[in-house]
Amino acid sequence: MVLCSKIRRILLTDNTFLRNRFRSKKHRRIGVHEMNKKRNEFGEFHHIYNELRRDSERFFNFLRMSRETFDFILAKVKFKLTKKTTNFKKPISATERLYVTLRYLSTGLSFRNLAVTLRMGASTVGKIVHETCKIIWEELVEDFMPVPNQDQLVKISDDFYRRWKFPNCIGCIDGKHCQIKCPINSGSSYFNYLKYFSLVLQGVADADKKFIFIEVGSRGKQSDGGTFAASTLFQHIQSNTFLPPDKELPGTTIKLPHVFIGDEAYPLKTFLMRPFPSRNLNAFRENYNKRLSAARKCIECAFGILRAKWRILGKDIEVSSDKAVHIIKCACILHNVVREKDGDSDLDYCQEMLYSNAQENQINNLHETGNHGGARRGSTRAQEIRNEFANFFLDH
């Protein structure tokens, strides 16, 4: 023990980095770093923001949205992001706070790395990001991801049939694992089958690849089916007042309920259709699986666009799990805003669709699409509904 203590003293004496790392709190630097004092002159935001606004293409590539969309979001959140001026210093503007948050979400860089170019303290960057993410969600969710009523769900089902030839479909559902650093004292509950720690983002997308529901916070070890059973969406469905009334399939007198569609990880329910299991497939079942797979690409593309645009979702989110939930939710609501405001001109959307279309041939063979695990036999009525959809697809 004496030797170890002596070696440690030597290391701390000879190594400046270690000496600063282990310095007691009362000796730490207080105040603004010399580099950060020149933020208004050389900081990234003050240095290039006005120039970026003069070049729409570079602005879009840098902040992952158009100038008009940025200004729209800023107008929505500016009041809550604006801080009062004190006698000691001028507060960081709402525009710069939004800029910092979008740079964090779009690059996936750590607070410490961003702090250098922004000429801020790392803790300041972190505080700005967390506050802004919460405010963006709170101010935009009612306009861009409200809980839909029955009329809105009927409109979604009409869109699904017009675009994907799947009637009575009110959304496609799937889960995405968002990487996080290992939470303290969490055990293995966040450790998923992909061998990393994660929070589950369960999303439901409409035919235009926008999210109509999201739920974030389930631990990575939980299955998609388990996440769905514990979700608020499932509680809405169980209320018996959420789903629209049964509707006749186009060109027929057969009435079927409105349904969500999911992959093999989800159970077969009267309100949730999944593929036929891969074993014992015949032409009848395979045709149904292909139609369902084509429509279900909406949620896969939505997740693809989300990750391509907000690259923080492609790496470990190095904050606590509670704060990671707010970051993920913010990215999802921004996805909807950009889809609504910038439409198909969004570069990330175009690239994702090109990739998706290039993979089209691979989904034609249903034995190669996803993990066709063991069959989850639903109720007799749920099986009857699936068979009715399959019969309809033979002639339409």
Side-chain angles (χ1 to χ4, degrees):
M1 291 293 294
V2 175
L3 181 60
C4 289
S5 299
K6 187 175 181 180
I7 292 173
R8 184 183 178 190
R9 284 198 302 273
I10 293 171
L11 287 173
L12 292 179
T13 301
D14 296 341
N15 191 307
T16 304
F17 174 78
L18 289 178
R19 186 167 64 249
N20 291 334
R21 180 72 175 83
F22 289 100
R23 184 188 299 171
S24 64
K25 288 185 178 181
K26 65 180 180 180
H27 292 134
R28 287 181 181 174
R29 182 186 296 111
I30 298 175
V32 181
H33 192 282
E34 286 299 320
M35 286 183 61
N36 298 346
K37 289 179 180 179
K38 299 180 180 180
R39 177 172 61 86
N40 291 342
E41 185 179 359
F42 298 114
E44 181 184 302
F45 171 79
H46 297 273
H47 202 55
I48 66 172
Y49 174 73
N50 289 330
E51 290 187 68
L52 277 176
R53 290 193 65 89
R54 290 194 285 270
D55 189 323
S56 58
E57 183 178 353
R58 289 196 173 188
F59 189 98
F60 198 108
N61 290 337
F62 203 70
L63 293 177
R64 321 308 291 172
M65 61 181 62
S66 66
R67 289 172 302 187
E68 293 75 17
T69 302
F70 179 91
D71 292 341
F72 171 83
I73 295 172
L74 180 62
K76 288 284 188 178
V77 301
K78 187 172 184 177
F79 177 76
K80 287 192 174 181
L81 285 183
T82 302
K83 306 295 182 179
K84 293 182 180 179
T85 303
T86 67
N87 295 329
F88 301 101
K89 60 181 180 179
K90 184 179 179 181
I92 298 171
S93 69
T95 306
E96 187 170 2
R97 289 172 179 272
L98 180 58
Y99 174 95
V100 169
T101 303
L102 295 180
R103 286 293 288 155
Y104 171 75
L105 294 174
S106 62
T107 62
L109 292 174
S110 67
F111 297 145
R112 191 177 298 275
N113 283 338
L114 278 175
V116 175
T117 58
L118 294 168
R119 294 194 179 234
M120 295 179 178
S123 60
T124 302
V125 174
K127 185 176 181 181
I128 287 173
V129 168
H130 297 318
E131 288 182 352
T132 307
C133 283
K134 290 179 68 175
I135 290 171
I136 288 174
W137 171 262
E138 291 167 358
E139 294 301 306
L140 296 177
V141 65
E142 289 300 323
D143 292 330
F144 292 92
M145 205 188 299
V147 177
N149 56 38
Q150 291 189 356
D151 291 338
Q152 291 168 329
L153 290 176
V154 169
K155 181 180 182 304
I156 291 172
S157 73
D158 292 341
D159 289 342
F160 264 103
Y161 183 66
R162 178 171 53 84
R163 296 188 182 196
W164 306 105
K165 303 305 178 184
F166 200 114
N168 292 23
C169 175
I170 53 176
C172 41
I173 185 170
D174 202 0
K176 172 180 170 54
H177 288 276
C178 301
Q179 296 174 236
I180 60 172
K181 70 176 183 179
C182 178
I184 299 173
N185 300 323
S186 64
S188 61
S189 59
Y190 287 92
F191 196 68
N192 62 36
Y193 71 98
L194 298 170
K195 309 301 181 186
Y196 58 79
F197 295 92
S198 66
L199 289 171
V200 177
L201 161 61
Q202 179 180 266
V204 180
D206 63 14
D208 195 33
K209 305 168 188 67
K210 291 185 289 190
F211 295 111
I212 56 176
F213 289 102
I214 62 163
E215 194 125 10
V216 189
S218 295
R219 302 184 177 193
K221 192 174 183 179
Q222 193 168 17
S223 66
D224 286 349
T227 300
F228 173 69
S231 67
T232 305
L233 172 59
F234 185 74
Q235 295 174 14
H236 280 305
I237 295 171
Q238 294 293 91
S239 69
N240 295 324
T241 59
F242 177 72
L243 297 178
D246 293 3
K247 183 180 177 182
E248 292 181 351
L249 297 180
T252 75
T253 58
I254 301 171
K255 271 193 173 183
L256 290 182
H258 287 83
V259 296
F260 296 97
I261 57 176
D263 62 11
E264 302 79 9
Y266 289 91
L268 180 65
K269 301 284 187 180
T270 56
F271 52 81
L272 178 56
M273 294 291 103
R274 52 161 280 161
F276 285 104
S278 58
R279 63 174 182 269
N280 300 323
L281 276 180
N282 52 31
F284 171 76
R285 294 182 170 189
E286 189 167 351
N287 182 62
Y288 165 88
N289 282 5
K290 287 181 178 179
R291 189 70 67 90
L292 183 142
S293 178
R296 204 180 62 79
K297 284 200 305 180
C298 291
I299 185 62
E300 294 178 348
C301 289
F303 282 149
I305 298 165
L306 183 73
R307 178 171 174 171
K309 181 175 292 292
W310 309 118
R311 295 181 183 177
I312 187 63
L313 300 181
K315 61 180 289 294
D316 282 355
I317 305 175
E318 298 177 358
V319 298
S320 67
S321 57
D322 291 341
K323 291 178 178 178
V325 168
H326 292 299
I327 289 171
I328 296 166
K329 289 167 67 176
C330 177
C332 291
I333 198 68
L334 287 174
H335 167 89
N336 278 13
V337 175
V338 175
R339 288 289 300 126
E340 178 77 22
K341 296 294 181 180
D342 296 330
D344 296 349
S345 63
D346 180 2
L347 180 61
D348 298 304
Y349 171 83
C350 296
Q351 290 177 340
E352 178 61 27
M353 294 311 297
L354 284 173
Y355 175 80
S356 177
N357 292 335
Q359 302 299 315
E360 189 74 31
N361 292 334
Q362 295 185 13
I363 9 180
N364 286 335
N365 186 344
L366 265 292
H367 294 285
E368 297 178 4
T369 57
N371 174 26
H372 292 262
R376 298 185 177 209
R377 185 176 297 275
S379 66
T380 301
R381 177 55 182 156
Q383 294 180 53
E384 290 174 353
I385 292 171
R386 181 166 64 177
N387 287 332
E388 290 287 1
F389 276 115
N391 281 323
F392 174 81
F393 293 148
L394 287 178
D395 300 323
H396 296 78

